[in-house]
């Protein structure tokens, strides 16, 4: 949607029209929402354009003609270049019959038809041209200008144009040459242009004409096959281009177009991980069914009066959830969509990122950059070096110095920096601007401002958390007590029909009480099977546990007062950080929540979605670190009541946490493999789709 008042600023970049021809939704993402992601193809294309873009744009001044004299063309680099010497000087002048070496450059630069012997050829690179009448602006890779020729571009200069009478032949006849990384299309008559290239070159020809140059054809040079394909603009092409410009303008002011339906184009599209074409189709046709809120009527103990933080009431409710009251049996079970099955939803993204997190855990170090490498030094000694391209996050614990040059580079590379206290409290984040998806934030704010609109989503966050807590207990508890599993099941069902946010908080608190009462049953520090905790009493402590002091009875924090709580606090901090980064990457404001209420410095929306992943990522990483003996008693220190990890202990826990985030799982809805890191990002993207109305309902991430 255009926000500009300057008509010149409203010109559509020709590259965006390429995208529109490829896929209107891709155009919308890039042009309207400002979303762009690099793929291998786009990186290769950008790299290969560097040489072209390094050149100077300089076309000889066009002869003014009737068409060009009208106020249709904007001030262009070409015009300016023609009027001055130095900046706009042509960067290459060759004679028409020069015998160039068969280099790629020569092959491409001599792309136009062979000029007559008396012709002089100028190559102008990176030429900017615009036209208000067309409503388009473009940067042309290369324009081959033939001076003093009686015939240059090989087609009929007097052919009619939809824009009106064609300009008479000017002194210079020009031929745009476009560089492409790939290969030409196999057409019926041999090599042919792709539609996107046809659009791009056609626009360049029209722009050159609008600016007073005689231009009949252009050339695309395909680097992969080192082949040139000529393109002569027909009236039919011109009409198609003008129709496409009008359609793209209309698209930009409307709603986002639907994704393509299982198109092969999506496989090569750099925005597939953002667009989620198959996932969106799947969820648009999903047959999920959740119980209506009225279903809560008559459920035992579920009232409007539940107060968050009232432990006595939560305990009563927790016990109430464990009953066999028939009212619970009458509550319909939620039905979520079946998994997609083979081939229905393609995984169009890598299962996980191939970059890593750099944790800086030593107080007082200096973090700087050396070229494209991040360097961590302590008193002049290098502790670690990581290449910028191998990094997706930098996490700093405690006091450290970081150079502004490094921060600037990290912002440019879109690598966030998170800051934690030595005790593991996540208190800040630095990242580049990257504020795209403005429409997502508008919908987020609107939904958050209306509690009754936010409640259905809040119910699902809490439902997902409790269901996953129950699953973790079933999977890992030495003998999961049936009343606890029953209570968690009822609590999850109650969350789905909670009549108010306060009720939901009470249900969540009651479920947490049940879950953490039995958490110690998942800790398998005992070597002797007879000493396995949890068999008799949930709080029974085996000697080995005592030694490790993992005698976890209940969740405590600020400060954590035992090693397990210290680990849980750190794990939740790391997960909150990762959810904040994911929320920002999707375009949300992480501080405006739909369940968690705003509070200074609290990333409420990140905490909302994090609920589903607490048991699966954070609790699970803690259990792995303890049960696999990754930590020993020596990894903890006690100061007063507070227990914390040593530097060495924290380092070991980072490994356990990152390993869990990288673990690949089968996505419960889409049936493909993804890491937890990717699954979290997916949840935020699905939440955004729900808020913008593209899919009807947000579905929580439930492990099987
Ligand atoms: S993934 Fe497919 S539908 Fe989505 S923008 Fe790309 S080409 Fe279009």
């Amino acid at each position: 949607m255009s926000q500009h008042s300057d008509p010149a600023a409203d010109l559509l970049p020709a590259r965006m029209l390429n995208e529109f021809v490829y896929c209107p939704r891709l155009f919308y993402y890039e042009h309207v929402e400002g979303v762009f992601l690099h793929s291998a193809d786009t990186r290769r294309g950008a790299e290969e354009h560097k040489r072209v873009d390094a050149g100077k744009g300089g076309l000889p001044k066009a002869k003014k003609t009737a068409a060009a004299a009208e106020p249709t063309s904007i001030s262009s680099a070409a015009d300016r270049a023609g009027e001055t010497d130095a900046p706009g000087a042509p960067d290459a002048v060759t004679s028409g019959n020069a015998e160039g070496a068969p280099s790629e450059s020569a092959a491409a630069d001599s792309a136009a038809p062979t000029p007559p012997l008396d012709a002089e050829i100028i190559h102008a690179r990176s030429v900017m041209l615009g036209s208000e009448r067309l409503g388009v602006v473009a940067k042309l890779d290369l324009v081959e200008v033939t001076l003093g020729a009686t015939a240059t571009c090989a087609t009929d200069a007097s052919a009619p144009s939809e824009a009106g009478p064609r300009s008479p032949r000017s002194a210079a006849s020009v031929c745009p040459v476009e560089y492409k990384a790939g290969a030409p299309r196999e057409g019926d008559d041999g090599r042919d242009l792709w539609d996107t290239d046809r659009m791009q070159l056609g626009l360049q020809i029209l722009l050159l004409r609008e600016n007073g140059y005689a231009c009949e054809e252009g050339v695309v040079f395909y680097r992969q096959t080192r082949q040139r394909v000529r393109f002569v603009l027909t009236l039919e092409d011109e009409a198609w281009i003008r129709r496409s410009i009008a359609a793209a303008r209309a698209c930009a002011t409307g709603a986002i177009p639907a994704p393509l339906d299982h198109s092969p184009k999506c496989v090569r599209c750099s925005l597939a991980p953002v667009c989620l074409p198959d996932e969106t189709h799947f969820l648009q046709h999903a047959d999920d069914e959740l119980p209506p809120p009225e279903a809560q009527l008559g459920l035992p103990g579920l009232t409007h009066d539940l107060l968050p933080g009232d432990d006595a009431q939560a305990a009563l409710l927790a016990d109430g959830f464990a009953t066999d009251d028939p009212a619970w049996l009458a509550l319909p079970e939620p039905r979520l969509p079946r998994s997609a099955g083979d081939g229905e939803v393609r995984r169009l993204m890598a299962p996980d990122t191939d970059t890593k997190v750099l944790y800086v855990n030593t107080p007082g170090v200096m973090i700087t950059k050396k070229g494209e490498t991040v360097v961590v030094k302590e008193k002049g000694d290098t502790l670690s070096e990581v290449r910028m391209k191998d990094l997706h996050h930098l996490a700093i614990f405690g006091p450290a110095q970081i150079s502004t040059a490094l921060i600037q580079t990290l912002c440019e590379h879109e690598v966030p920096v998170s800051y934690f206290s030595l005790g593991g409290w996540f208190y800040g984040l630095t990242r580049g601007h990257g504020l795209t998806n403005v429409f997502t934030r508008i919908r987020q704010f609107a939904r958050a401002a209306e509690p009754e609109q936010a409640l259905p989503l809040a119910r699902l966050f809490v439902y997902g958390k409790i269901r996953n807590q129950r699953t973790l207990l079933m999977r890992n508890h030495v003998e999961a007590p049936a009343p606890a599993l029953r209570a968690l099941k009822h609590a999850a069902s109650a969350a789905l029909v909670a009549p108010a946010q306060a009720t939901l908080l009470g249900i969540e608190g009651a479920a947490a009480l049940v879950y953490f009462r039995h958490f110690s049953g998942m800790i398998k520090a005992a070597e002797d099977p007879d000493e396995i905790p949890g068999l008799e009493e949930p709080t029974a402590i085996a000697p080995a546990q005592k030694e490790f002091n993992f005698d976890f009875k209940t969740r405590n924090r600020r400060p954590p007062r035992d090693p397990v709580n210290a680990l849980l606090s750190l794990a939740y901090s790391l997960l909150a950080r990762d959810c904040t980064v994911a929320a920002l990457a999707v375009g949300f404001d992480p501080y405006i929540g739909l369940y968690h209420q705003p509070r200074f410095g609290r990333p409420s929306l990140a905490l909302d979605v994090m609920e589903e992943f607490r048991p699966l990522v954070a609790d699970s990483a803690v259990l792995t670190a303890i049960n696999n003996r990754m930590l020993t008693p020596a990894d903890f220190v006690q100061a007063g009541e507070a227990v914390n990890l040593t530097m060495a202990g924290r380092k070991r826990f980072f490994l356990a946490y990152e390993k869990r985030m990288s673990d690949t799982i089968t996505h419960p809805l889409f049936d493909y493999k993804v890491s937890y890191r990717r699954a979290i990002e997916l949840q935020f993207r699905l939440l955004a789709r729900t808020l913008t109305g593209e899919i009807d309902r947000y579905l929580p991430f439930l492990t099987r």
Side-chain angles (χ1 to χ4, degrees):
M1 189 180 299
S2 173
Q3 303 289 326
H4 305 295
S5 53
D6 175 9
D10 273 333
L11 299 182
L12 277 175
R15 194 176 67 78
M16 287 299 135
L17 285 155
N18 283 17
E19 309 295 49
F20 183 76
V21 170
Y22 191 80
C23 167
R25 187 171 168 97
L26 177 65
F27 161 82
Y28 193 94
Y29 271 126
E30 293 194 355
H31 185 63
V32 181
E33 299 205 351
V35 178
F36 186 79
L37 275 187
H38 269 299
S39 68
D41 283 351
T42 61
R43 278 190 208 285
R44 194 168 56 242
E47 211 38 56
E48 291 180 358
H49 264 88
K50 272 186 186 166
R51 184 185 68 85
V52 176
D53 290 346
K56 293 170 182 170
L59 282 174
K61 191 174 174 67
K63 189 175 176 180
K64 287 291 177 195
T65 64
E70 292 173 28
T72 62
S73 58
I74 63 165
S75 172
S76 70
D79 288 343
R80 288 195 301 275
E83 289 159 8
T84 59
D85 281 336
D91 66 0
V93 178
T94 62
S95 67
N97 268 352
E99 291 178 10
S103 65
E104 177 182 287
S105 170
D109 292 359
S110 304
T114 306
L117 289 172
D118 61 340
E120 182 183 34
I121 299 174
I122 297 172
H123 289 157
R125 296 178 192 276
S126 290
V127 178
M128 287 296 295
L129 287 179
S131 160
E132 284 177 27
R133 183 153 57 190
L134 276 176
V136 175
V137 64
K139 182 156 84 171
L140 285 60
D141 281 355
L142 178 89
V143 181
E144 192 164 283
V145 186
T146 308
L147 296 172
T150 48
T152 50
C153 287
T155 51
D156 179 9
S158 61
S161 163
E162 284 212 341
R166 290 285 312 286
S167 58
R169 176 69 58 89
S170 63
S173 185
V174 297
C175 180
V177 181
E178 188 61 25
Y179 294 78
K180 294 291 170 190
R185 188 164 70 95
E186 287 296 323
D188 291 341
D189 302 323
R191 293 164 302 174
D192 201 354
L193 295 183
W194 298 98
D195 277 352
T196 49
D197 300 339
R198 186 178 295 275
M199 167 62 72
Q200 190 168 9
L201 215 52
L203 279 169
Q204 294 185 1
I205 293 170
L206 290 176
L207 280 169
L208 284 161
R209 288 179 185 172
E210 287 283 325
N211 283 273
Y213 296 93
C215 181
E216 305 306 323
E217 66 176 21
V219 171
V220 176
F221 181 75
Y222 289 98
R223 282 197 158 104
Q224 186 181 321
T225 55
R226 300 172 59 81
Q227 289 176 308
R228 298 188 298 252
V229 181
R230 289 170 58 185
F231 171 58
V232 179
L233 185 73
T234 64
L235 276 180
E236 202 183 0
D237 292 323
E238 194 176 332
W240 169 67
I241 290 170
R242 290 178 188 279
R243 276 197 312 275
S244 299
I245 295 171
R249 289 198 168 280
C251 173
T253 56
I256 186 167
L260 302 179
D261 193 356
H262 290 81
S263 166
K265 288 182 177 179
C266 301
V267 177
R268 294 198 72 89
C269 177
S270 63
L271 283 192
V274 171
C275 166
L276 304 177
D278 292 7
E279 293 85 344
T280 304
H281 274 292
F282 172 69
L283 290 173
Q284 281 172 342
H285 301 101
D287 58 348
D288 61 292
E289 200 173 281
L290 302 177
E294 310 83 63
Q296 56 89 20
L297 295 172
L299 290 176
L302 196 58
T303 72
H304 289 258
D305 307 328
L306 294 173
L307 295 175
D310 184 337
D311 290 345
Q313 197 176 19
L316 274 178
L317 187 62
D319 292 340
F321 282 144
T323 67
D324 279 333
D325 193 301
W328 287 112
L329 301 176
L331 187 64
E333 273 288 298
R335 186 161 56 83
L336 300 178
R338 288 181 300 278
S339 65
D342 279 344
E344 284 190 22
V345 176
R346 299 164 297 173
R347 182 171 56 72
L348 299 173
M349 67 193 94
D352 192 18
T353 163
D354 53 5
T355 50
K356 60 185 175 186
V357 182
L358 173 61
Y359 285 95
V360 177
N361 185 34
T362 311
V365 295
M366 182 72 200
I367 314 164
T368 56
K369 70 180 276 247
K370 188 170 76 185
E372 288 295 297
T373 304
V374 179
V375 183
V376 183
K377 287 189 170 181
E378 185 182 32
K379 295 178 185 155
D381 295 335
T382 300
L383 297 185
S384 63
E385 288 187 339
V386 181
R387 288 183 307 177
M388 213 80 77
K389 67 183 177 118
D390 294 334
L391 199 63
H392 77 253
H393 196 102
L394 170 61
I396 303 173
F397 281 72
Q401 294 180 60
I402 179 166
S403 73
T404 50
L406 175 59
I407 289 178
Q408 187 180 331
T409 309
L410 291 173
C411 287
E412 282 165 9
H413 283 68
E414 294 175 31
V415 175
V417 185
S418 56
Y419 308 93
F420 296 80
S421 69
L422 267 179
W425 180 249
F426 168 47
Y427 64 84
L429 192 72
T430 302
R431 68 192 288 273
H433 293 299
L435 277 179
T436 54
N437 303 83
V438 66
F439 302 115
T440 300
R441 284 193 297 289
I442 289 172
R443 300 294 173 89
Q444 176 195 358
F445 297 162
R447 189 71 73 102
E450 300 289 341
E452 66 280 8
Q453 299 278 317
L455 181 60
L457 284 163
R459 287 188 191 118
L460 290 165
F461 299 142
V462 176
Y463 172 78
K465 175 186 181 179
I466 301 174
R467 277 285 303 264
N468 289 335
Q469 286 175 328
R470 184 172 183 270
T471 303
L472 201 70
L473 271 186
M474 283 202 297
R475 274 193 198 159
N476 296 292
H477 198 284
V478 65
E479 186 180 3
L485 296 180
R486 193 183 314 126
L488 288 175
K489 186 169 182 224
H490 293 164
S493 300
L496 275 184
V497 295
Q501 296 262 6
T503 318
L504 202 50
L505 284 163
I507 293 167
E508 187 199 352
L513 211 62
V514 174
Y515 173 70
F516 284 118
R517 264 184 201 159
H518 300 280
F519 195 89
S520 63
M522 296 191 282
I523 294 172
K524 292 161 186 156
E527 302 289 355
D528 181 350
D530 292 338
E531 295 174 346
I532 291 174
L535 276 176
E536 302 84 26
E537 293 294 322
T539 53
I541 301 164
Q545 278 182 294
K546 278 185 182 159
E547 185 195 335
F548 281 71
N549 198 20
F550 291 138
D551 52 344
F552 184 79
K553 295 187 185 72
T554 184
R555 176 86 182 105
N556 60 60
R557 57 201 180 121
R558 295 191 198 171
R561 297 190 290 277
D562 59 76
V564 180
N565 274 299
L567 286 171
L568 286 172
S569 291
L570 179 57
Y572 295 148
S573 269
L574 297 177
L575 187 55
R577 180 272 316 265
D578 284 331
C579 288
T580 303
V581 170
L584 284 164
V586 171
F588 283 115
D589 181 331
Y591 299 94
I592 308 291
L594 301 166
Y595 173 49
H596 290 83
Q597 297 309 299
R599 187 194 293 167
F600 177 77
R602 176 157 83 174
S604 297
L605 189 79
L607 298 181
D608 287 351
V609 175
M610 172 175 153
E611 294 294 4
E612 301 158 34
F613 292 95
R614 276 178 191 263
L616 304 180
V617 174
D619 299 357
S620 186
V622 168
L623 291 169
T624 300
I626 297 170
N627 292 340
N628 291 350
R629 315 290 196 273
M630 294 172 78
L631 296 160
T632 71
D635 290 318
F636 298 91
V637 285
Q638 182 143 13
E641 274 209 317
V643 172
N644 207 345
L645 282 136
T646 61
M647 261 168 31
R650 253 202 317 261
K651 197 170 169 186
R652 276 193 274 279
F653 184 70
F654 293 151
L655 286 178
Y657 177 83
E658 288 302 324
K659 158 97 179 48
R660 187 61 181 164
M661 284 293 273
S662 303
D663 278 352
T664 49
I665 34 144
T666 301
H667 195 283
L669 292 175
F670 307 133
D671 242 8
Y672 53 55
K673 296 272 184 197
V674 278
S675 66
Y676 275 109
R677 183 178 287 106
R678 195 69 92 188
I680 290 172
E681 184 190 323
L682 263 174
Q683 281 306 100
F684 277 102
R685 294 206 182 281
L686 296 179
L687 179 62
R689 294 283 193 289
T690 313
L691 294 180
T692 55
E694 201 165 32
I695 55 178
D696 285 344
R697 200 193 306 263
Y698 174 82
L699 294 173
F701 185 93
L702 301 176
T703 189
R704 291 171 180 166

